[in-house]
């Protein structure tokens, strides 16, 4: 009883990962998966594991979340995040937040310390202050690369759509030894987006969904397309109909592509611990740990495998 084998799956965003960023993206998802798995191994909760994995990627400049987020039209960082507990369908989310290092932590507090599920903008900021979360000056979240990209996209002949392919939302799903599932997703959104634009990430059922009855999923890709088909909930619906995680993910991604022309990627774990990482974009960085085996990849069909011990050793030596 209560002896599920824990599993964690993470993604670092679907899209096009530029050659010079591949190593960093791979290392970042591997580090996040190992950190989340460490929590699960010590009988920690799926909720703690996904929050920790996402926090690790928010702090990593290779991903479009937290530090390294892309900039909106005004050159500012505005971030969205969500977390969900499969036990009782509790969820917390924040949208369009600025000056916060780890939106996922704030989302968790919204879930646990308020009667609400989603706080936005100034209200989210006031709540963060009330919770004693230190203000992080907006500039400190901006990397040189995000600023360069923002400038490029401002040029009259630029095509931000070209750059949108390098999306980098981050997410994690897990099942713990008690059989509880959880998901977490965090993003800086679309480069040069309108102020106040909120995509799928903060929306329950689109950016993520977790239900012990079926499983958990976190999504990445073109936010508006994901919202149109409520992608995360759609995948769980397919699993409720008896599909495997992989089949459910492929079916839902395929529907999004044919119905609204949207591309994306998803990670899934079902309530018996089977997992999938699937995408319709060129690439998606992902990593998973199950049975003390780490698997990771970026390209379709790419899958490296290492034992966790081996991975932790090379991790401490800095890849």
């Amino acid at each position: 009883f209560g002896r599920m084998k824990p599993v964690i799956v993470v993604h670092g965003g679907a899209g096009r990962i530029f050659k010079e960023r591949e190593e960093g993206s791979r290392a970042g998802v591997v580090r996040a998966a190992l950190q989340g798995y460490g929590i699960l191994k010590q009988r920690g909760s799926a909720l703690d594991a996904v929050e920790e994995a996402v926090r690790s990627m928010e702090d990593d400049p290779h991903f479009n979340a937290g530090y390294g987020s892309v900039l909106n039209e005004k050159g500012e960082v505005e971030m969205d995040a969500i977390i969900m507990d499969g036990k009782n369908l509790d969820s917390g989310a924040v949208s369009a937040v600025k000056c916060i290092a780890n939106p996922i932590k704030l989302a968790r507090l919204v879930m646990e310390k308020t009667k609400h599920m989603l706080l936005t903008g100034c209200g989210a900021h006031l709540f963060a202050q009330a919770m004693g979360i230190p203000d992080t000056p907006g500039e400190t979240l901006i990397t040189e690369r995000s600023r360069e990209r923002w400038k490029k996209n401002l040029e009259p002949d630029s095509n931000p759509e070209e750059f949108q392919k390098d999306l980098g939302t981050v997410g994690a799903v897990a099942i713990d030894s008690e059989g509880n599932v959880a998901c977490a997703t965090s993003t800086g959104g679309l480069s040069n987006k309108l102020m106040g634009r909120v995509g799928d990430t903060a929306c329950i059922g689109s950016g993520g969904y977790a239900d012990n009855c079926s499983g958990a999923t976190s999504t990445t890709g073109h936010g508006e397309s994901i919202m149109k088909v409520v992608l995360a909930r759609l995948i769980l619906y397919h699993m409720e109909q008896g599909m495997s995680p992989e089949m459910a993910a492929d079916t839902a991604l395929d529907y999004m592509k044919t119905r609204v022309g949207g591309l994306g990627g998803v990670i899934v774990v079902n309530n018996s611990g089977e997992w999938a990482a699937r995408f319709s974009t060129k690439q998606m960085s992902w990593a998973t740990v199950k049975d003390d085996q780490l698997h990771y990849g970026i390209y379709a069909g790419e899958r490296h495998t290492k034992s966790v011990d081996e991975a932790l050793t090379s991790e401490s030596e800095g890849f």
Side-chain angles (χ1 to χ4, degrees), residues 197-200 203 206 222-231:
R197 178 264 188 187
V198 177
D200 64 295
C203 301
S206 292
H222 184 245
E224 282 73 11
S225 299
I226 291 170
M227 291 159 95
K228 286 175 184 176
V229 302
V230 197
L231 186 63

Side-chain angles (χ1 to χ4, degrees), residues 18 24 31 44 47 56 59 66 95 98 110 113 121 126 184 198 205 227 246 251-252 257-258 268 272 287 290 295 313:
F18 295 108
R31 186 176 307 122
L47 214 47
S56 154
D59 291 345
S95 67
K98 299 176 184 177
V110 170
K113 306 286 185 202
L126 287 172
V198 177
M227 291 159 95
E246 187 162 311
T251 305
K257 192 173 173 177
T258 52
V268 192
S272 52
K290 180 180 182 173
H295 308 277
T313 311

Side-chain angles (χ1 to χ4, degrees), residues 15-309:
R16 181 184 61 189
I17 297 158
F18 295 108
K19 265 281 181 271
E20 74 275 9
R21 300 174 64 76
E22 272 183 26
E23 266 327 288
S25 298
R26 269 199 197 92
V29 288
V30 164
R31 186 176 307 122
L34 291 171
Q35 283 179 0
Y37 192 66
I39 290 174
L40 296 172
K41 276 301 265 192
Q42 292 158 2
R43 303 255 166 109
S45 69
L47 214 47
D48 287 345
V50 294
E51 181 187 359
E52 181 51 35
V54 166
R55 187 204 54 75
S56 154
M57 291 183 285
E58 284 177 340
D59 291 345
D60 185 327
H62 284 92
F63 304 108
N64 172 17
Y67 175 58
S69 287
V70 298
L71 310 185
N72 67 12
E73 55 172 358
K74 294 276 186 284
E76 298 171 327
V77 165
E78 282 188 319
M79 301 163 290
D80 306 329
I82 194 168
I83 193 164
M84 187 167 183
D85 183 348
K87 210 178 9 240
N88 47 16
L89 306 187
D90 274 352
S91 177
V94 292
S95 67
V97 294
K98 299 176 184 177
C99 306
I100 282 171
N102 295 110
I104 200 63
K105 284 188 168 162
L106 191 56
R108 174 89 185 252
L109 288 168
V110 170
M111 176 171 86
E112 292 181 343
K113 306 286 185 202
T114 76
K115 293 190 174 73
H116 308 310
M117 282 171 72
L118 172 60
L119 290 182
T120 195
C122 303
H125 197 106
L126 287 172
F127 173 66
Q129 288 173 328
M131 289 288 117
I133 291 182
D135 261 19
T136 305
E139 307 77 82
T140 61
L141 295 172
I142 299 178
T143 54
E144 199 35 54
R145 176 170 185 271
S146 295
R147 195 181 294 287
E148 282 307 299
R149 217 164 119 180
W150 173 70
K151 282 203 192 109
K152 260 215 179 65
N153 287 341
L154 288 179
E155 291 166 10
D157 57 348
S158 86
N159 174 11
E161 291 303 304
E162 246 326 281
F163 283 97
Q164 295 316 359
K165 299 194 171 78
D166 182 22
L167 288 164
T169 297
V170 306
V173 295
I175 186 165
D176 59 31
S177 55
E178 299 297 308
N180 291 314
V181 299
C183 70
T185 313
S186 180
T187 190
L190 289 179
S191 190
N192 298 65
K193 62 190 178 179
L194 295 181
M195 282 182 78
R197 178 264 188 187
V198 177
D200 64 295
T201 300
C203 301
I204 188 171
S206 292
Y209 203 81
D211 182 349
N212 282 4
C213 299
S214 46
T217 181
S218 168
T219 66
T220 166
H222 184 245
E224 282 73 11
S225 299
I226 291 170
M227 291 159 95
K228 286 175 184 176
V229 302
V230 197
L231 186 63
R233 191 66 191 81
L234 181 59
I235 291 166
L236 291 193
Y237 166 77
H238 287 314
M239 293 204 301
E240 288 158 5
Q241 304 298 304
M243 285 188 191
S244 68
E246 187 162 311
M247 184 75 182
D250 286 349
T251 305
L253 283 169
D254 196 49
Y255 174 71
M256 182 168 82
K257 192 173 173 177
T258 52
R259 187 70 181 84
V260 297
L263 301 180
V266 299
I267 49 172
V268 192
V269 66
N270 71 9
N271 58 4
S272 52
E274 299 174 295
W275 62 274
R278 310 292 292 169
F279 47 99
S280 52
T281 51
K282 276 211 171 54
Q283 290 144 294
M284 178 179 80
S285 53
W286 63 273
T288 183
V289 186
K290 180 180 182 173
D291 288 333
D292 290 315
Q293 289 290 105
L294 162 78
H295 308 277
Y296 60 97
I298 286 188
Y299 292 94
E302 175 192 2
R303 181 161 160 184
H304 306 280
T305 304
K306 280 182 183 176
S307 75
V308 164
D309 292 342

